[in-house]
Amino acid sequence: MRTSYKHRVATLRGITLAAVAVAIFHWVGAGSTNCAEPASLYYQTLHVPDGMRPKLAAAVSDLKETLRHATGVEFATSLDDESRGIYVRRTDSSDVPEHIGRQVPEGSGEACAVVPDGDSRLWIVGSTDLGLCHGIYLYLEQLGCRWYFPSERWTIVPQRNDIRLSRPLSARPAFRSRVFAGTGGFGGNLPLDPERRLQQRWTDWQRRNRFGGEFQVSGHTGEAFNLKYRTQLEAHSEWRAMIDGKRVPWSITAKFCAGNPEVVSLYVQDRVESYRQRRERDPEDPHAWAVSVEPADGGGHCTAPESIAIGSVSDRVFHVANQVARAVRQDFPDGRVSLFAYNEHAAVPNIALEPNVYVQVIPYAFQRTGLSPDQLLDAWSEKVPALGVYDYWSIPDWSHDLPSFDPIKFGPNRLRGWHRRGVDSFLCESTYSSGAMGPAWYLGSRLAWQPEADEKQLFDQFLRDCFGPAEAPMRRMLTRWSERFTLTSHELALSYRDLQSAWRLAADDPNIAARVADYGRYVIYLQLYFEYHQTKRGSEQRQAAAEQLMRYMWSIYDSSMIHAFRLSQLLARDERTAGNDGLATAFNWQDAKALGWDAIPNNTDKEIRTLVERGVAAFQPREFTSRRFHGDLIPLPLNRVGGNSETDSSDEQSPAMWLSNSLEFHIFADRAESFSPRIASERALQLLVTATDGTTVASQSIETGPQWRDQWTDVDVHLPKPGLYRVRIISQRRTFRLSVPQGTRLSLPGWSNSQGTPTPRLYFYVPSETERLAIYANYTAAGPPRFFDPNGVEVQPEQVDGGHLLLIPIPRDLRGRVWSLDRAKCPLGPLEMLNVPEAFAFSPETLLVPSDAIDGR
């Protein structure tokens, strides 16, 4: 905001147009011609349609301004039909030649084409305004223009003297709707941003990177219904849900009785009227595609006899959806209703669905079906012809804008998996943090159009474009974050040194230095967040650290590197629960006169660099290098086992482990045999066993019942052939117990246990090159696990960062052998083995390890 666009434009060096196009687009040949004549000799006028919609008008404005910055030429706009210039036209326009219109791919209202017509005309065509909007940015991308983050300093506009294309290109999205939104939004007219400029920048950024879609579905509507009809709902108790035999009082999240025809009729009328208003305002608005019938958030569905008679919770929710769908279709034959498959109504209903009911499945959280995410998606795919997905990608409430999301593997793999299943839309709850998710969402914008695009090439291009000669240290830092990020003093030391190196390499380019400074702002946030959590909850030191963190977060609000608004809410709430109400009062985002807003610093890039240099001095890296192991899991060779196992060989089962959340591990069978674990769970959980080729060997629902703490459920799974099998226990964040047959060869990764129950003795392999074992342990005040060397001798780890980082020197004669640990209490997350395989077993002889962890393989 404080820096002009003109001084933030960068020059793209060394990237050919063809390379960019091949890496990103499904196209029919795009390229540039080399000519010294100025662009004004070819295209100097933009021929645009009359009465453009706001989104298209904004894209045309971008086209005009971006070409001006790229060429130094002023481009005029015209509504006339002239012989020379760039024509932005819908395919149904009378002046679009037939052979030009045919270049637009069929089957999508967002499809577009950019077609050169000699040296004097360029056509940007689409069947809708959305298609034209996408076509404009498709064209600018071919010229090398990029909007990596929603900031002028992250905008790339190369200087060009020729803006022609030698061949036509076309594109259409793989997903009909591509939406993400940060949890909590932007907060409206904030004291630091009353004009909502940051929100507009994110809106512009999404448009420029071709997010959006033919349609966008909305979320919960029950809350609005309850507020609108509060008087009627309070007057008619029979309209409200019955729980435990009693009608619930009115509340904003209460459900109504699905079996009561009067309240259902009122809801149907309300939804139809809402849809009618949307269609009348703008029938082409993506939000007018469907009206939401998603209930209020949370559980509490009606259990009155008339509701129960309809069927399951899913049956009741979709019964109401069907009624709205039929009513909508009477007035609007092409009208639709939308809702989530979520929480208590995530399961596929037993009733038939109306053809105009559109479902977005939420498979990865808040679903209680007992099915794996893939199983739930498959079940819904059989029920409906098309479906969407709602997912959670690094929401600040969970990740606090730490760089814990892998943009290179996780994001692309998930998008491709959805596309293979026929998912045609996604809505991801995320964060408005460029530091945590900028590269991930940039890559996602490309793969949402072309899932087969090479994400590594896209990431390489991002690094080259943005960092030039400083690419190597920035690549090192961002790659390390993507592979495994743990917030430790060691990581801060490495990140500060990477930034220091990048700054030195970028000394001759102020644009690159400005981007390094933005990442400096982000790493300083990581440091302050780290230091805040190093203090004792409720202490004076904690309050001081909280105020410093809050002030700094707002000071970098404008950079977009963190989602400052949502993080400020979370921090104020966390402090309030600890008795510190002053933070929320001083930084009341609804009060421009609150005292905190008077002392928000404006850190310049130079000041940020000084703080980075201080970080280099303050944090020293430890003597270990993080490592991931990716080899095939194999039984540990007997000559590596050594040591003594404390397992009683007379026991038929391994010691019990108390676990929570879902667990995944691998077992190895020498032959066709039975695998007979014991499982105890209060609520139903799902056991899945699959072979390496993806074949399902077993899929069982298991529930022990009220006496689950004292009783086991015996499971018997037939393994049809020798080899490796994957076992998944899906518990939906519920505690359970697990015991496996003694002698089962397995590889158990990290685990969590919300009750903090200590683990039994577990064994792990330390490769021969490991000089110092490094473990991240997010345990509570109970203390770290006990560690034992291969001879069974207890070893005390060095405790760094308040004990969250554990370091153990490994004597040369004890490397390449099996170590062990016990009493690991992990309620806040699993142990993370930072430089040895995350593979545990109940005895040394049964340990499976990645092949690349063993010398000579």
Side-chain angles (χ1 to χ4, degrees):
M1 297 178 198
R2 297 185 296 269
T3 310
S4 70
Y5 183 94
K6 180 177 180 180
H7 292 92
R8 294 303 178 197
V9 170
T11 301
L12 186 66
R13 300 181 176 91
I15 302 179
T16 66
L17 182 61
V20 173
V22 168
I24 302 176
F25 301 105
H26 174 69
W27 54 291
V28 187
S32 64
T33 57
N34 296 318
C35 179
E37 295 181 83
S40 58
L41 294 181
Y42 299 100
Y43 316 134
Q44 194 170 353
T45 302
L46 306 180
H47 301 279
V48 299
D50 191 12
M52 293 183 291
R53 301 164 65 82
K55 192 169 185 177
L56 178 57
V60 167
S61 178
D62 273 348
L63 175 63
K64 181 178 179 180
E65 288 300 302
T66 305
L67 291 179
R68 181 175 68 83
H69 283 286
T71 65
V73 174
E74 291 286 347
F75 283 73
T77 56
S78 172
L79 302 177
D80 299 328
D81 182 11
E82 301 177 4
S83 60
R84 186 180 296 275
I86 298 176
Y87 285 77
V88 180
R89 291 286 191 268
R90 290 173 69 140
T91 51
D92 57 4
S93 298
S94 59
D95 59 342
V96 176
E98 185 178 351
H99 73 281
I100 298 294
R102 284 200 303 266
Q103 298 286 338
V104 178
E106 297 180 352
S108 171
E110 295 184 274
C112 57
V114 185
V115 186
D117 189 3
D119 283 339
S120 61
R121 287 189 180 191
L122 181 76
W123 295 89
I124 298 177
V125 289
S127 60
T128 66
D129 279 12
L130 274 178
L132 294 181
C133 184
H134 297 321
I136 286 171
Y137 294 111
L138 180 63
Y139 168 57
L140 292 175
E141 288 162 7
Q142 303 310 300
L143 302 183
C145 303
R146 297 290 183 273
W147 292 268
Y148 284 112
F149 297 169
S151 167
E152 291 173 357
R153 60 175 59 194
W154 290 91
T155 298
I156 305 292
V157 179
Q159 302 299 302
R160 301 184 67 93
N161 61 7
D162 190 349
I163 57 172
R164 293 174 296 168
L165 300 183
S166 62
R167 295 181 299 276
L169 58 118
S170 63
R172 70 175 183 182
F175 295 89
R176 297 170 62 200
S177 182
R178 310 161 304 284
V179 178
F180 80 89
T183 303
F186 295 95
N189 301 328
L190 299 175
L192 293 184
D193 187 10
E195 298 176 354
R196 306 189 186 192
R197 291 172 295 176
L198 182 61
Q199 180 175 352
Q200 184 60 52
R201 280 164 44 197
W202 275 101
T203 298
D204 293 340
W205 182 86
Q206 294 199 47
R207 183 187 67 252
R208 290 162 176 165
N209 285 286
R210 295 185 279 139
F211 281 103
E214 294 180 53
F215 62 86
Q216 293 186 28
V217 300
S218 301
H220 301 285
T221 62
E223 293 88 345
F225 178 78
N226 289 341
L227 286 171
K228 184 176 180 180
Y229 298 101
R230 177 173 182 172
T231 301
Q232 295 94 315
L233 288 165
E234 287 185 328
H236 293 274
S237 61
E238 72 277 11
W239 287 10
R240 303 193 299 269
M242 176 183 287
I243 305 294
D244 295 330
K246 297 180 180 180
R247 297 290 178 176
V248 300
W250 179 93
S251 73
I252 192 171
T253 59
K255 309 301 186 292
F256 57 77
C257 179
N260 185 290
E262 292 179 339
V263 72
V264 171
S265 176
L266 179 63
Y267 184 73
V268 170
Q269 294 173 27
D270 177 79
R271 296 292 79 209
V272 172
E273 182 57 29
S274 176
Y275 189 62
R276 187 187 314 281
Q277 292 174 5
R278 289 189 181 189
R279 292 288 290 256
E280 290 175 351
R281 281 195 302 266
D282 185 356
E284 292 190 19
D285 184 345
H287 289 95
W289 186 80
V291 64
S292 173
V293 293
E294 175 63 21
D297 202 0
H301 291 272
C302 184
T303 58
E306 56 269 34
S307 291
I308 293 293
I310 298 171
S312 67
V313 174
S314 284
D315 292 342
R316 292 169 235 160
V317 170
F318 284 93
H319 163 76
V320 174
N322 276 343
Q323 295 193 56
V324 180
R326 287 193 290 269
V328 163
R329 201 167 60 240
Q330 287 180 358
D331 293 344
F332 302 95
D334 63 340
R336 299 172 180 84
V337 304
S338 68
L339 74 166
F340 300 143
Y342 167 68
N343 206 322
E344 295 178 1
H345 62 280
V348 175
N350 298 305
I351 63 174
L353 299 185
E354 293 294 321
N356 57 329
V357 173
Y358 185 80
V359 182
Q360 276 205 318
V361 185
I362 305 182
Y364 304 101
F366 306 117
Q367 57 101 345
R368 305 177 182 181
T369 64
L371 301 177
S372 72
D374 288 348
Q375 285 181 316
L376 186 59
L377 284 172
D378 288 341
W380 272 105
S381 296
E382 295 177 2
K383 184 72 173 181
V384 294
L387 73 153
V389 166
Y390 189 111
D391 200 3
Y392 302 88
W393 284 22
S394 190
I395 67 173
D397 299 46
W398 298 345
S399 68
H400 298 277
D401 281 359
L402 305 184
S404 54
F405 188 95
D406 183 355
I408 303 172
K409 294 180 181 177
F410 181 90
N413 289 342
R414 183 151 285 186
L415 286 169
R416 291 190 182 108
W418 293 341
H419 185 58
R420 285 194 301 269
R421 278 187 161 80
V423 171
D424 70 352
S425 73
F426 63 81
L427 196 169
C428 289
E429 190 174 338
S430 186
T431 177
Y432 293 119
S433 165
S434 297
M437 286 294 291
W441 278 125
Y442 175 76
L443 267 61
S445 72
R446 270 49 191 169
L447 272 72
W449 281 71
Q450 186 192 1
E452 66 273 18
D454 189 326
E455 63 273 16
K456 293 181 180 179
Q457 289 185 24
L458 292 170
F459 186 63
D460 289 347
Q461 180 195 346
F462 159 74
L463 292 168
R464 289 193 303 267
D465 285 359
C466 294
F467 302 112
E471 172 190 345
M474 295 304 294
R475 177 190 296 275
R476 183 169 58 241
M477 181 179 76
L478 296 177
T479 301
R480 187 175 63 249
W481 289 356
S482 69
E483 290 180 346
R484 174 192 274 126
F485 178 83
T486 53
L487 186 55
T488 63
S489 58
H490 173 72
E491 176 54 54
L492 289 171
L494 296 177
S495 295
Y496 275 129
R497 281 158 177 76
D498 289 334
L499 290 171
Q500 183 186 57
S501 298
W503 233 315
R504 291 171 178 170
L505 293 170
D508 296 332
D509 193 321
N511 298 304
I512 294 174
R515 298 182 196 114
V516 176
D518 270 355
Y519 267 107
R521 289 176 169 86
Y522 181 60
V523 173
I524 294 166
Y525 160 72
L526 299 179
Q527 175 191 334
L528 294 177
Y529 181 82
F530 167 80
E531 291 174 344
Y532 168 70
H533 283 280
Q534 287 290 299
T535 59
K536 184 179 180 180
R537 184 174 176 83
S539 66
E540 292 183 2
Q541 294 83 0
R542 180 83 156 208
Q543 292 186 18
E547 182 175 346
Q548 182 182 20
L549 176 59
M550 179 73 84
R551 202 174 303 279
Y552 179 77
M553 291 192 305
W554 282 115
S555 78
I556 64 170
Y557 166 87
D558 182 62
S559 71
S560 87
M561 294 305 289
I562 63 170
H563 191 170
F565 170 67
R566 185 57 176 174
L567 291 176
S568 73
Q569 288 184 306
L570 297 172
L571 179 59
R573 184 176 67 190
D574 190 39
E575 283 300 293
R576 188 182 295 112
T577 60
N580 178 15
D581 294 325
L583 198 65
T585 302
F587 294 93
N588 184 349
W589 54 276
Q590 295 175 313
D591 182 5
K593 296 182 180 180
L595 297 178
W597 304 122
D598 294 334
I600 302 298
N602 181 14
N603 293 313
T604 64
D605 288 357
K606 183 178 180 180
E607 291 168 334
I608 291 296
R609 183 166 187 176
T610 298
L611 292 175
V612 168
E613 295 293 340
R614 291 179 184 174
V616 171
F619 295 93
Q620 300 300 316
R622 298 287 173 162
E623 295 180 358
F624 75 91
T625 300
S626 293
R627 182 183 173 189
R628 288 275 192 180
F629 297 85
H630 302 287
D632 295 334
L633 290 174
I634 60 172
L636 186 67
L638 292 179
N639 64 344
R640 301 301 180 106
V641 172
N644 297 310
S645 171
E646 290 194 353
T647 303
D648 187 345
S649 60
S650 64
D651 293 339
E652 295 183 356
Q653 296 285 132
S654 70
M657 286 189 68
W658 290 73
L659 303 156
S660 62
N661 211 345
S662 297
L663 177 72
E664 179 177 317
F665 59 97
H666 287 82
I667 60 174
F668 186 86
D670 289 313
R671 60 189 180 278
E673 59 186 18
S674 292
F675 171 57
S676 302
R678 289 180 174 176
I679 298 175
S681 174
E682 178 182 12
R683 295 195 179 183
L685 54 77
Q686 189 78 4
L687 173 70
L688 297 176
V689 181
T690 56
T692 53
D693 61 1
T695 304
T696 299
V697 174
S699 178
Q700 301 180 27
S701 180
I702 299 170
E703 183 172 4
T704 306
Q707 305 301 318
W708 70 280
R709 294 177 180 273
D710 303 312
Q711 297 178 357
W712 289 101
T713 297
D714 292 315
V715 181
D716 186 48
V717 176
H718 175 66
L719 306 178
K721 59 184 179 180
L724 196 67
Y725 293 86
R726 183 178 72 165
V727 181
R728 297 184 67 191
I729 300 175
I730 304 162
S731 72
Q732 303 296 336
R733 300 183 182 273
R734 298 294 178 179
T735 300
F736 64 96
R737 292 187 298 150
L738 171 70
S739 175
V740 300
Q742 200 66 265
T744 300
R745 290 196 278 187
L746 55 78
S747 175
L748 180 74
W751 63 92
S752 60
N753 178 8
S754 60
Q755 294 189 347
T757 306
T759 62
R761 183 72 69 90
L762 295 171
Y763 297 83
F764 60 92
Y765 179 68
V766 176
S768 299
E769 69 274 14
T770 308
E771 298 180 1
R772 184 183 297 265
L773 174 63
I775 301 171
Y776 182 75
N778 197 4
Y779 54 81
T780 58
R786 296 192 307 175
F787 292 90
F788 302 89
D789 71 14
N791 300 316
V793 177
E794 184 174 356
V795 178
Q796 295 297 325
E798 176 188 1
Q799 299 188 35
V800 182
D801 301 340
H804 292 294
L805 178 61
L806 306 176
L807 302 175
I808 301 175
I810 307 296
R812 184 178 298 276
D813 62 328
L814 299 181
R815 300 172 193 166
R817 299 176 66 185
V818 175
W819 288 57
S820 61
L821 61 82
D822 68 5
R823 300 186 183 178
K825 298 183 178 182
C826 305
L828 302 179
L831 293 176
E832 296 186 52
M833 314 297 281
L834 301 183
N835 60 348
V836 302
E838 289 189 291
F840 297 90
F842 293 102
S843 69
E845 298 81 7
T846 59
L847 183 60
L848 300 176
V849 297
S851 59
D852 56 346
I854 302 173
D855 294 340
R857 298 190 65 87

